[in-house]
């Protein structure tokens, strides 16, 4: 039976405030709290909350047969906790149904996987930790930022314990192959890949309310017919969407929520199943290996990373940011580490894109976005300088960091030895007190011993000396 795998992605960056050159060295807070509050609250009430309420109804009305997955960035979860905590409760309800799988993705929704494997692993771990503490789930599937994937990433994902990854069904990678199968990674065959069906996903994401589209209006029964009409031997259709598609990109007045809610009923009539990514990688056998030499993504028509790193402005900012990665990781300044994560969001580099206007950009031009970001980064670099001066070369810094790590290991060993000695001393004190108590106790009086007596024998007659004389 053919399966449909839905994944809904949720992300909101911490947007920067207007930061002037004259603020460098004076103002160390970079984020526009009023703008972030306004956007996150608005999008949550227009899109995220009604969409998740619709998913809950779909699960209930289908008796749990409707299943899907959700990927939420860590920076988005932090903002929901600040501005719309009721949405966190709604996500918890979805998790409790058992029909919604939560997929891991980088905490900052950044591009660290391209240049810094250690930072990427930390960011994935941070998101998994939040999902575990908030919703009680342990992700088995990973979705990198904007579905970025390449061969060198697969072995790391396997080492991190993931069974599968979501990525883009890019035509220049697939060639004649179809995205509607499960594949294994060429560089790590244990990792299975689920590929987005770009056409069927974009029919909803970009064309749903386009009145000039020949297929307008798109109804649930028509869409399910398209899904059912795919070749019968194809195993799975992956529909990966930004959750803002529902209610924000396409307002509620377009009927987008009614369209979504009706899908399970028409799918059941056509014998189509819904499946989570974990179920897909566990139940469906891979038809072959897929090699991706250069990074692919779901962004733009090129399906590569050029939308974030396609010009000199973006690369200058990107290189500057990650040039101090090791120094930031080794510092103990929590504020510095927090800002480091927020500054990594790919949105900041997207706003610097010069090929086409960046959607939802808070800046008038890409150059304004670059200038503002570099002013912030200049102040951030000054703060990092205070922790680890730049006069310290990389070799010297690595030597210093190694010494710090060795000292930490030595301190840990000494602490263990100290704990062992304390335990021995405590045991000795217990035994010593016990002996002292035994000594001070008064001796108990001894019982009188009564000897048994026997009948007295008749005394023997004393022997008389014989007369010495005859």
């Amino acid at each position: 039976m053919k399966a449909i795998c839905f994944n809904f992605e949720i992300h909101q960056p911490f947007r920067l405030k207007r930061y002037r050159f004259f603020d460098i060295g004076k103002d160390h807070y970079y984020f526009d709290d009023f703008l972030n509050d306004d956007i996150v609250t608005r999008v949550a009430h227009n899109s995220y909350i009604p969409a998740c309420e619709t998913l809950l109804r779909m699960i209930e009305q289908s008796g749990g047969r409707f299943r899907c997955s959700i990927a939420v960035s860590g920076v988005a979860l932090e903002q929901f906790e600040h501005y719309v905590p009721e949405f966190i409760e709604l996500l918890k309800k979805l998790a409790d149904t058992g029909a919604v799988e939560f997929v891991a993705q980088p905490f900052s929704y950044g591009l660290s996987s391209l240049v810094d494997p250690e930072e990427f692993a930390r960011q994935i771990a941070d998101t998994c930790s939040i999902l575990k503490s908030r919703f009680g789930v342990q992700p088995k599937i990973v979705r990198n930022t904007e579905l970025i994937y390449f061969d060198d990433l697969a072995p790391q994902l396997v080492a991190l314990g993931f069974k599968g990854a979501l990525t883009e069904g890019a035509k220049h990678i697939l060639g004649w192959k179809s995205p509607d199968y499960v594949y294994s990674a060429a560089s790590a065959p244990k990792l299975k890949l689920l590929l987005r069906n770009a056409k069927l996903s974009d029919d909803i994401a970009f064309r749903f309310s386009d009145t000039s589209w020949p297929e307008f209006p798109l109804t649930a029964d028509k869409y399910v017919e398209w899904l059912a009409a795919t070749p019968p031997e194809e195993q799975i259709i992956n529909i990966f969407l930004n959750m803002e598609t529902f209610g924000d990109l396409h307002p509620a007045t377009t009927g987008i929520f009614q369209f979504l809610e009706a899908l399970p009923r028409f799918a059941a009539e056509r014998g189509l199943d819904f499946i989570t990514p974990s179920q897909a990688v566990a139940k469906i056998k891979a038809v072959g290996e897929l090699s991706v030499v250069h990074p692919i993504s779901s962004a733009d028509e090129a399906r590569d990373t050029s939308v974030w790193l396609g010009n000199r402005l973006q690369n200058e900012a990107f290189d500057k940011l990650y040039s101090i990665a090791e120094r930031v990781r080794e510092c103990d300044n929590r504020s510095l580490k927090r800002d480091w994560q927020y500054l990594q969001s790919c949105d900041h580099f997207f706003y610097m894109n010069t090929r086409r206007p960046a959607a939802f950009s808070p800046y008038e031009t890409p150059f304004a976005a670059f200038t503002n970001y570099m002013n912030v980064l200049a102040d951030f670099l000054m703060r990092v300088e205070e922790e680890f001066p730049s006069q310290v070369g990389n070799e010297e810094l690595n030597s210093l960091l190694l010494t710090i790590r060795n000292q930490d290991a030595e301190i840990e060993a000494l602490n263990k030895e100290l704990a062992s000695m304390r335990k021995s001393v405590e045991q000795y004190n217990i035994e010593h007190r016990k002996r002292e108590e035994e000594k001070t106790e008064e001796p108990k009086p001894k019982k009188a011993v009564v000897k048994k007596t026997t009948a007295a024998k008749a005394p023997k007659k004393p022997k008389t000396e014989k007369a010495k004389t005859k």
Side-chain angles (χ1 to χ4, degrees):
M1 182 179 288
K2 193 184 299 292
I4 306 169
C5 181
F6 268 107
N7 176 260
F8 302 99
E9 190 272 327
I10 302 173
H11 166 64
Q12 289 293 332
F14 278 91
R15 294 164 182 82
L16 302 175
K17 67 183 181 183
R18 296 307 169 105
Y19 195 89
R20 301 171 303 165
F21 173 80
F22 301 103
D23 294 325
I24 299 173
K26 299 177 182 178
D27 183 2
H28 302 319
Y29 191 78
Y30 313 131
F31 309 101
D32 192 333
D33 292 336
F34 294 104
L35 181 62
N36 289 322
D37 185 356
D38 177 65
I39 293 177
V40 171
T41 302
R42 175 180 56 79
V43 175
H45 285 95
N46 289 345
S47 174
Y48 300 152
I49 292 176
C52 286
E53 289 174 342
T54 302
L55 295 179
L56 274 175
R57 288 195 301 273
M58 294 165 68
I59 294 168
E60 294 169 358
Q61 293 168 5
S62 66
R65 291 188 300 275
F66 175 76
R67 293 175 172 272
C68 65
S69 62
I70 295 176
V72 193
S73 69
V75 289
L77 284 169
E78 284 197 358
Q79 292 185 83
F80 295 145
E81 289 179 342
H82 285 302
Y83 306 130
V84 278
E86 62 271 26
F87 181 55
I88 298 289
E89 294 301 316
L90 188 54
L91 291 174
K92 180 68 167 63
K93 288 181 180 179
L94 286 171
D96 291 342
T97 65
V100 177
E101 178 179 9
F102 281 82
V103 173
Q105 61 181 3
F107 179 90
S108 69
Y109 206 70
L111 306 171
S112 58
S113 62
L114 300 174
V115 293
D116 194 336
E118 184 177 350
E119 179 62 23
F120 175 73
R122 285 172 181 259
Q123 297 238 351
I124 292 290
D126 287 345
T127 303
C128 289
S129 177
I130 294 176
L131 293 175
K132 180 69 173 177
S133 63
R134 300 297 188 277
F135 311 129
V137 297
Q138 185 63 48
K140 299 177 183 177
I141 306 294
V142 63
R143 171 178 171 148
N144 195 9
T145 302
E146 294 294 328
L147 298 175
I148 291 174
Y149 174 79
F150 50 100
D151 284 343
D152 291 345
L153 188 61
Q156 184 181 11
L157 296 179
V158 172
L160 292 173
F162 292 106
K163 305 296 182 184
L166 311 184
T167 187
E168 176 67 21
K171 290 182 179 179
H172 68 279
I173 296 297
L174 288 171
W176 58 267
K177 298 176 183 177
S178 168
D180 300 336
Y181 291 95
V182 174
Y183 294 88
S184 61
S187 55
K190 289 184 178 180
L191 185 77
K192 290 186 176 180
L193 303 176
L194 301 181
L195 311 182
R196 185 180 84 110
N197 186 308
K199 179 192 178 304
L200 291 171
S201 297
D202 291 347
D203 283 342
I204 300 175
F206 299 116
R207 294 182 278 273
F208 181 82
S209 59
D210 182 3
T211 56
S212 64
W213 183 37
E215 298 294 342
F216 180 87
L218 180 60
T219 58
D221 57 339
K222 181 194 293 187
Y223 189 73
V224 169
E225 284 295 327
W226 294 349
L227 299 178
T230 55
E233 66 274 10
E234 294 185 348
Q235 305 163 305
I236 183 172
I237 303 172
N238 298 304
I239 309 298
F240 301 162
L241 301 166
N242 188 320
M243 192 170 277
E244 291 177 41
T245 299
F246 303 91
D248 193 47
L249 299 181
H250 302 290
T253 54
T254 63
I256 188 75
F257 292 113
Q258 291 80 0
F259 165 83
L260 179 63
E261 190 169 347
L263 289 176
R265 178 166 61 87
F266 289 105
E269 293 177 359
R270 293 307 307 266
L272 300 178
D273 245 345
F274 291 93
I275 195 171
T276 65
S278 285
Q279 290 175 325
V281 301
K283 295 180 179 180
I284 303 176
K285 186 177 180 181
V287 297
E289 293 184 350
L290 193 67
S291 178
V292 182
V293 178
H294 302 291
I296 59 173
S297 77
S298 62
D300 216 0
E301 294 180 0
R303 301 293 193 245
D304 57 14
T305 60
S306 59
V307 73
W308 306 287
L309 301 174
N311 62 44
R312 293 178 62 183
L313 303 178
Q314 294 167 316
N315 283 282
E316 172 71 14
F318 185 78
D319 293 343
K320 280 279 188 183
L321 178 66
Y322 283 97
S323 67
I324 41 82
E326 187 67 28
R327 298 170 188 257
V328 175
R329 278 196 292 270
E330 294 303 328
C331 77
D332 295 323
N333 189 322
R334 294 181 62 184
S335 175
L336 201 67
K337 289 189 171 184
R338 178 204 63 194
D339 293 347
W340 160 251
Q341 287 189 318
Y342 295 172
L343 289 174
Q344 290 184 64
S345 294
C346 69
D347 309 74
H348 304 307
F349 304 98
F350 180 63
Y351 301 147
M352 304 175 198
N353 171 40
T354 54
R355 293 192 307 180
R356 63 182 179 86
F360 312 111
S361 174
Y363 303 98
E364 297 81 8
T365 66
F367 304 100
F370 172 76
T371 302
N372 199 67
Y373 186 84
M374 293 305 287
N375 286 341
V376 168
L377 195 57
D379 185 81
F380 182 77
L381 293 173
M382 289 176 61
R383 293 165 60 197
V384 175
E385 173 86 3
E386 294 177 0
E387 296 286 337
F388 291 106
S390 58
Q391 287 81 2
V392 178
N394 287 332
E395 292 184 4
E396 189 177 351
L397 174 64
N398 291 333
S399 175
L400 176 61
L401 296 176
L402 179 62
T403 301
I404 293 173
R405 293 191 188 102
N406 290 339
Q407 287 177 344
D408 289 340
E410 185 177 352
I411 291 171
E412 184 178 357
L414 290 172
N415 285 334
K416 289 181 179 178
E417 184 178 351
L418 179 60
S420 177
M421 293 176 63
R422 284 176 175 169
K423 189 174 181 180
S424 299
V425 170
E426 289 176 0
Q427 185 64 29
Y428 171 80
N429 290 336
I430 291 172
E431 294 177 355
H432 179 70
R433 284 195 298 270
K434 188 175 180 181
R435 288 195 298 268
E436 290 297 319
E437 289 173 357
E438 290 176 352
K439 288 180 181 180
T440 56
E441 286 181 357
E442 295 183 2
K444 297 180 179 180
K446 296 182 179 180
K447 294 182 179 180
V449 179
V450 180
K451 294 183 178 181
K452 295 183 179 180
T453 57
T454 57
K457 296 182 179 180
K460 294 181 180 181
K461 292 182 180 181
K463 295 181 179 181
T464 56
E465 293 181 2
K466 293 183 179 180
K468 294 181 180 180
T469 58
K470 293 181 179 178

